[in-house]
Amino acid sequence: MNLHALYHRSQSNYCYCYDEEKVHIRLRSAKNDLDQVILIYGDKYDWEKKQKIIMELIGSDGLFDYFAAIVKPDKKRLAYFFEVVKGKEKLYYTEWGISKEIDRKELHMHYFQYPYMHRTDMQVVPQWAKDAVFYQIFPERFNNGDPSISPANTRDWCEKPEAANFFGGDLKGIMSKISYLEQLGINAVYLTPIFEAPTNHKYDTTDYYKIDPHFGDLKVFKELVSKCHEKGIKVVLDAVFNHSGFFFAPFQDVIKNGEESPYYEWFNIHKWPLKMDPPSYDTFAFSPYMPKLNTQNPEVKNYLLCVARYWIKEADIDGWRLDVCDEVDHEFWRSFKKTVKEAKPDAFIIGEMWLNSLPWLLGDQFDTVMNYPLTRNCLQYFAYNQISDKQFKESITKIQMNHMQQVNEVMFNLLDSHDTPRFLTLAGGNRSKLKLAAAFQMTYIGTPCIYYGTEVGMEGLQDPDCRRPMEWNEENWDLDLYSYYKGLIHLRRNHEALREGSFRWIDTYDGIIGYIRETEKERILVFINNHEKGQEIDIGCNTVINALSGDLLQGCEGKLSIKMDKYSVQILIVKQ
Amino acid sequence: MNLHALYHRSQSNYCYCYDEEKVHIRLRSAKNDLDQVILIYGDKYDWEKKQKIIMELIGSDGLFDYFAAIVKPDKKRLAYFFEVVKGKEKLYYTEWGISKEIDRKELHMHYFQYPYMHRTDMQVVPQWAKDAVFYQIFPERFNNGDPSISPANTRDWCEKPEAANFFGGDLKGIMSKISYLEQLGINAVYLTPIFEAPTNHKYDTTDYYKIDPHFGDLKVFKELVSKCHEKGIKVVLDAVFNHSGFFFAPFQDVIKNGEESPYYEWFNIHKWPLKMDPPSYDTFAFSPYMPKLNTQNPEVKNYLLCVARYWIKEADIDGWRLDVCDEVDHEFWRSFKKTVKEAKPDAFIIGEMWLNSLPWLLGDQFDTVMNYPLTRNCLQYFAYNQISDKQFKESITKIQMNHMQQVNEVMFNLLDSHDTPRFLTLAGGNRSKLKLAAAFQMTYIGTPCIYYGTEVGMEGLQDPDCRRPMEWNEENWDLDLYSYYKGLIHLRRNHEALREGSFRWIDTYDGIIGYIRETEKERILVFINNHEKGQEIDIGCNTVINALSGDLLQGCEGKLSIKMDKYSVQILIVKQ
């Protein structure tokens, strides 16, 4: 038995409350090593009534197998350990380590424990986020609805974006496209920053309480949110709290008054007088125009929490996406979560993270994070054909195992964003690749987000190129892609199994990845052929409906053969 | 290379801020597997200036080696990964996994990160706790200083303790023994509960604001604390916040007024009317006399936080030991820490934990926990001779690796307590065994705590027997043991290296465990022979002082031979 591989830790992604009734337990072992894992569990104050359950092998990555079980502790207290079996070898894995026997008198030194299930400590995510299909808008580039407020130097809509140029996109522009969004089928938008700031991206806030005048004003924004809500569309804003802009009044006050400024401690000034090159104060990266806010200072903390509350209370927004959130202290985010959920209990909090996000996703800080690891896997698998079917499945499994199930259910799954090249461009413009990736995104577990224009085939390399003005000339649209996206979005929105169903790989077919999404009410099979070669697969004698075409497919004599063209997907609703 | 064994996780015991300058990094690998581990680290926004450092192998347990390094990030931001080497095999271990190469364009998807060092998130422990030698007192059994307030049914001091009998110990009794404590050399006391409660142990609080009348009153308690402080002795009380007693006024109000009671939500009542057998409300274990407090209710939370603050502000206590703290929500403890540290920044917070305590020791909750895993290892090694020298060292290393260094420095190291049989009894009354264990406890890293009477050879099995009245008849004392303890305590208090020095095993001698405690100023060697057979060891040509006897030992011609009798210890101060 590979003892080095065995891993479990309570109160982590390996053991957590899924809800007020259920505790999810996972165990990691070396791949293909164990024959069986038995979970022995009970109440430590009443161990005689302990129970046993065989854990299920729910997935594997390159190195490890993952076993899982769900238990419902009677008195909210859970003590447990594992019996791991390989051939004739049987060992116990406890908090104390691995052993052949456990001395009954010493049980209290061996249990793993979820000592008590408290709602206050649980990771509870908003229900609506599970049902959401997001659309990310970079407001300066989406639509110009009010040329009268466009910057003086506004470029023509069809010019090329540069790091510092402007195109005049604004809130009225978004407002006038709500019907477009509605038709596309999305039901949530995430807007990159909209508060006053000198740049086109507005990640250098001048005034957290003011809509950028080139975008509109409070009245227009409130109208936008209200119109979105009328159409069932939630609105999430971008919170840039790691740093302010250079022209943020408190920073300007420091520039003016130096150590006398009441805002001197709002930043981390190394040395007075200020120097900009290199900056003599903490900044985002090394940018002198983005002084880092001292969120450890209670005044700053309070200021930013008021901002967070204000936009919920004043404009009724539905959540915040948190910029550079890993460089802000956890203590700040804990208070942030409390403030935000108090203002709106089902507000959605999305962290901008690129990798390890577990420390922020244990119940006290974020609801979810941007799933860039998934982005990368989709690129490697669909866009580059760089990894095998098996490797893709393994990586996806690994990402799942990194988080609690309720987090996976609202993982912010994206193929591209304002911070990455566009997927289609990285796929060499190959539409079939994007379509496969989109089909995966829309049928996979988690909350999908479409970066504006992806649905009509917009391209773009790394920033600034990925921030081109939205293509509104339908003649330039890839209509096939557009209707494909529309179909996928509607499919997801109409099928509970795709939004909230369990996820399980189907390992039956070579060269085809397959998975099942399932709730008590429905069962959907997804098959993806990410290869040059078509093939037929037999999915057994079910009656299924092709979810995108609506065709009824009927098996006969125990066989139902499904044709998988090269680079194609089949989404099949099982008739029960 | 054993890839399954490689383990690292940022923002955990594997990567944390030790202070505002230093980040400690650890890597786990299979035992005896790797030849070298190189840490490659830098600022992710300025990766060109990255640095390399060879990590040091700092210890091993049964299965794993642990490598460590300390780095000082320039801009408080740290990105890093590992190069692991075995023979000609060289691999990178990153947040993304293990690979032969890392694509430079993809670095942002590979770094492990400590994204930003914030003081608000750091685990900062009180300095005095590093310098403390604690003494645990069970007040009902320590000394009767005021017979006029003893319970009516008080037993004679020399009778046997039973689960429910009383002996009249009280606060004046403790006060009159301060000089005893002073002479012994301890500089901190931890008192089990002293608030009004019907039992002798008082873990069933009736009134959190009232000293138990059989123990004294507020005036006496304040005098006790003040006298202790005069003598440089800190005072830590027991916070029983998981549950109240049956006679706690709010619970009585619920009994009286049922669902009409304003305190109904202070508990978790399953069903009205209340039943006691089995209890129809949440309790500690299954005890109807200890109704579990609903610490998730803001009113209860606020009430208990006020209690925590009150005893600091009113009586100037120096910290809290937290009873059954694993069954109280983390959210409560986060607020508790804030409240307590606000009231007294260097208050010491000690959790009662038996095993996995990491989730409470990451910076936002406790300072330390009772180190029962160490207790168990000391029993197995010293008292039972059940594990080998190697196994003992491995287990101790494992416990160290489970926690941040600053937590190890104040780990509440105990050999026994009111909740365990006495060490001496478990060691079959063998004094030499207790002496070895005590020498280890007093020279090891962490804050030692002596359970009252251990120093004079008191015995006792599991509760109630381990709660015998303190032996004050010096004729019954083991004077040799007493002076040995006194010597050890003074040694620790006089030598910085024993309190704050680094810890490293010496692996040179068979049958002898040895370790070095070292600061910049001093270096102390400890050798323990836990075997029936004496031997001589050559510790090289140093001049050393036998710390307990004061003898100067001088080597000659590169050799210094030290005689280790059976079951003996040598604590040697290296003359530099």
Side-chain angles (χ1 to χ4, degrees), chain B residues 314-359:
Chain B
E314 183 63 31
D316 201 20
I317 65 161
D318 303 291
W320 287 103
R321 175 265 189 190
L322 316 173
D323 189 54
V324 200
C325 49
D326 58 341
E327 298 183 25
V328 175
D329 54 317
H330 291 285
E331 263 308 285
F332 178 84
W333 294 126
R334 286 192 193 104
S335 301
F336 177 87
K337 178 174 180 178
K338 275 190 199 110
T339 303
V340 164
K341 299 278 178 176
E342 205 173 274
K344 194 173 227 181
D346 71 346
F348 192 34
I349 303 174
I350 309 157
E352 181 206 4
M353 297 290 298
W354 291 76
L355 273 177
N356 170 38
S357 2
L358 189 65

Side-chain angles (χ1 to χ4, degrees), chain A residues 2-7 9-11 13 28-31 43-46 63-64 75-77 95-98 106 108-111 113 115-121 268 270 279 282-286 292 295-296 301 324 326-332 334-335 338 354-356 358-360 364 372-374 376-377 380 384 395 398-399 402, chain B residues 2-7 9-11 13 28-31 43-46 63-64 75-77 95-98 106 108-111 113 115-121 268 270 279 282-286 292 295-296 301 324 326-332 334-335 338 354-356 358-360 364 372-374 376-377 380 384 395 398-399 402:
Chain A
N2 185 332
L3 304 185
H4 292 95
L6 286 180
Y7 186 80
R9 183 175 280 284
S10 182
Q11 305 198 51
N13 47 327
R28 196 194 74 179
S29 68
K31 198 164 173 173
D43 185 321
K44 71 170 166 176
Y45 302 112
D46 192 17
L63 287 171
F64 301 106
K75 299 276 177 206
K76 298 185 201 150
R77 298 181 295 233
E95 182 75 53
W96 192 265
I98 300 160
E106 295 267 338
H108 65 291
M109 290 309 287
H110 280 93
Y111 300 123
Q113 282 195 68
Y116 205 89
M117 301 167 71
H118 291 103
R119 173 145 183 116
T120 37
D121 289 335
N268 189 10
H270 311 157
D282 285 0
T283 58
F284 167 67
F286 290 91
K292 183 165 169 62
T295 47
Q296 300 183 101
K301 186 170 168 178
V324 199
D326 58 341
E327 298 184 25
V328 175
D329 53 318
H330 291 286
E331 263 308 286
F332 178 84
R334 285 192 193 103
S335 301
K338 277 192 199 107
W354 291 76
L355 272 178
N356 170 36
L358 189 65
W360 291 267
D364 54 338
Y372 279 116
L374 177 129
R376 184 170 183 244
N377 276 322
Q380 290 185 321
Y384 310 148
S395 288
K398 192 173 171 184
I399 299 170
N402 280 341
Chain B
N2 185 332
L3 305 185
H4 292 95
L6 287 180
Y7 185 81
R9 182 175 280 284
S10 183
Q11 305 198 50
N13 46 327
R28 196 193 75 177
S29 68
K31 199 167 174 171
D43 185 322
K44 72 171 166 176
Y45 301 112
D46 192 16
L63 287 171
F64 301 106
K75 300 275 178 208
K76 298 184 199 149
R77 298 179 295 231
E95 182 76 52
W96 193 264
I98 300 160
E106 295 267 337
H108 65 291
M109 291 309 287
H110 280 93
Y111 300 122
Q113 282 194 69
Y116 205 89
M117 301 167 70
H118 290 103
R119 172 141 184 120
T120 37
D121 289 336
N268 189 9
H270 312 157
D282 285 359
T283 58
F284 166 67
F286 289 92
K292 184 165 169 61
T295 48
Q296 300 182 101
K301 186 169 169 179
V324 200
D326 58 341
E327 298 183 25
V328 175
D329 54 317
H330 291 285
E331 263 308 285
F332 178 84
R334 286 192 193 104
S335 301
K338 275 190 199 110
W354 291 76
L355 273 177
N356 170 38
L358 189 65
W360 292 267
D364 55 337
Y372 280 115
L374 177 128
R376 185 170 182 243
N377 276 321
Q380 290 185 320
Y384 311 150
S395 287
K398 192 174 170 183
I399 297 170
N402 279 341

Side-chain angles (χ1 to χ4, degrees), chain A residues 355, chain B residues 47 81 102-111:
Chain A
L355 272 178
Chain B
W47 189 247
F81 50 80
I102 303 174
D103 184 350
R104 284 179 55 84
K105 282 180 303 187
E106 295 267 337
L107 274 171
H108 65 291
M109 291 309 287
H110 280 93
Y111 300 122

Side-chain angles (χ1 to χ4, degrees), chain A residues 354-465:
Chain A
W354 291 76
L355 272 178
N356 170 36
S357 2
L358 189 65
W360 291 267
L361 291 171
L362 291 169
D364 54 338
Q365 295 169 67
F366 309 160
D367 290 318
T368 189
V369 292
M370 298 175 85
N371 198 353
Y372 279 116
L374 177 129
T375 312
R376 184 170 183 244
N377 276 322
C378 287
L379 284 168
Q380 290 185 321
Y381 181 60
F382 295 111
Y384 310 148
N385 274 71
Q386 204 177 48
I387 56 175
S388 68
D389 301 333
K390 188 161 156 281
Q391 285 171 318
F392 177 69
K393 285 161 67 174
E394 288 175 348
S395 288
I396 293 293
T397 300
K398 192 173 171 184
I399 299 170
Q400 270 190 32
M401 292 302 107
N402 280 341
H403 297 289
M404 300 179 188
Q405 179 64 8
Q406 62 264 50
V407 172
N408 288 330
E409 286 168 358
V410 295
M411 261 289 173
F412 207 69
N413 292 334
L414 67 171
L415 297 181
D416 41 21
S417 77
H418 66 298
D419 280 333
T420 69
R422 284 185 180 269
F423 187 95
L424 184 57
T425 301
L426 292 177
N430 185 335
R431 257 78 169 164
S432 335
K433 295 298 201 164
L434 174 58
K435 283 163 91 173
L436 286 196
F440 174 70
Q441 181 193 23
M442 292 295 161
T443 56
Y444 182 62
I445 192 167
T447 306
C449 179
I450 300 159
Y451 184 49
Y452 77 97
T454 295
E455 74 279 14
V456 295
M458 277 179 69
E459 292 212 30
L461 284 162
Q462 187 64 283
D463 157 25
D465 197 36

Side-chain angles (χ1 to χ4, degrees), chain B residues 171-367:
Chain B
L171 300 183
K172 273 200 181 152
I174 299 174
M175 209 166 352
S176 70
K177 294 296 183 185
I178 290 179
S179 58
Y180 171 81
L181 299 176
E182 209 191 347
Q183 270 193 294
L184 181 61
I186 62 93
N187 58 355
V189 289
Y190 147 44
L191 310 180
T192 57
I194 60 167
F195 306 138
E196 189 178 38
T199 55
N200 53 39
H201 54 70
K202 313 228 172 284
Y203 280 102
D204 54 340
T205 319
T206 300
D207 188 341
Y208 288 94
Y209 282 102
K210 189 177 170 192
I211 302 293
D212 190 278
H214 298 305
F215 284 0
D217 56 21
L218 177 61
K219 192 165 156 277
V220 178
F221 179 60
K222 284 169 79 165
E223 198 186 333
L224 171 63
V225 176
S226 146
K227 287 204 165 150
C228 283
H229 285 178
E230 273 170 34
K231 300 296 185 186
I233 296 171
K234 303 273 185 182
V235 180
V236 168
L237 292 188
D238 208 319
V240 191
F241 289 174
N242 174 66
H243 53 269
S244 73
F246 188 78
F247 299 102
F248 182 47
F251 194 67
Q252 288 297 309
D253 195 273
V254 171
I255 289 178
K256 197 172 150 202
N257 298 310
E259 290 164 88
E260 301 302 306
S261 167
Y263 302 104
Y264 196 80
E265 300 290 329
W266 279 43
F267 307 90
N268 189 9
I269 315 282
H270 312 157
K271 216 176 164 181
W272 182 259
L274 288 192
K275 276 184 193 167
M276 288 185 66
D277 187 23
S280 63
Y281 46 93
D282 285 359
T283 58
F284 166 67
F286 289 92
S287 165
Y289 290 100
M290 292 177 169
K292 184 165 169 61
L293 285 159
N294 178 11
T295 48
Q296 300 182 101
N297 176 341
E299 278 180 40
V300 176
K301 186 169 169 179
N302 185 48
Y303 176 86
L304 295 171
L305 296 180
C306 287
V307 169
R309 189 189 299 110
Y310 173 82
W311 290 103
I312 294 174
K313 289 296 188 189
E314 183 63 31
D316 201 20
I317 65 161
D318 303 291
W320 287 103
R321 175 265 189 190
L322 316 173
D323 189 54
V324 200
C325 49
D326 58 341
E327 298 183 25
V328 175
D329 54 317
H330 291 285
E331 263 308 285
F332 178 84
W333 294 126
R334 286 192 193 104
S335 301
F336 177 87
K337 178 174 180 178
K338 275 190 199 110
T339 303
V340 164
K341 299 278 178 176
E342 205 173 274
K344 194 173 227 181
D346 71 346
F348 192 34
I349 303 174
I350 309 157
E352 181 206 4
M353 297 290 298
W354 291 76
L355 273 177
N356 170 38
S357 2
L358 189 65
W360 292 267
L361 291 171
L362 292 170
D364 55 337
Q365 294 169 67
F366 309 160
D367 290 318

Side-chain angles (χ1 to χ4, degrees), chain B residues 14-33:
Chain B
Y14 283 85
C15 171
Y16 56 90
C17 287
Y18 176 73
D19 56 28
E20 291 186 71
E21 277 197 330
K22 296 188 276 294
V23 177
H24 284 199
I25 296 179
R26 296 172 181 162
L27 177 89
R28 196 193 75 177
S29 68
K31 199 167 174 171
N32 301 321
D33 190 43

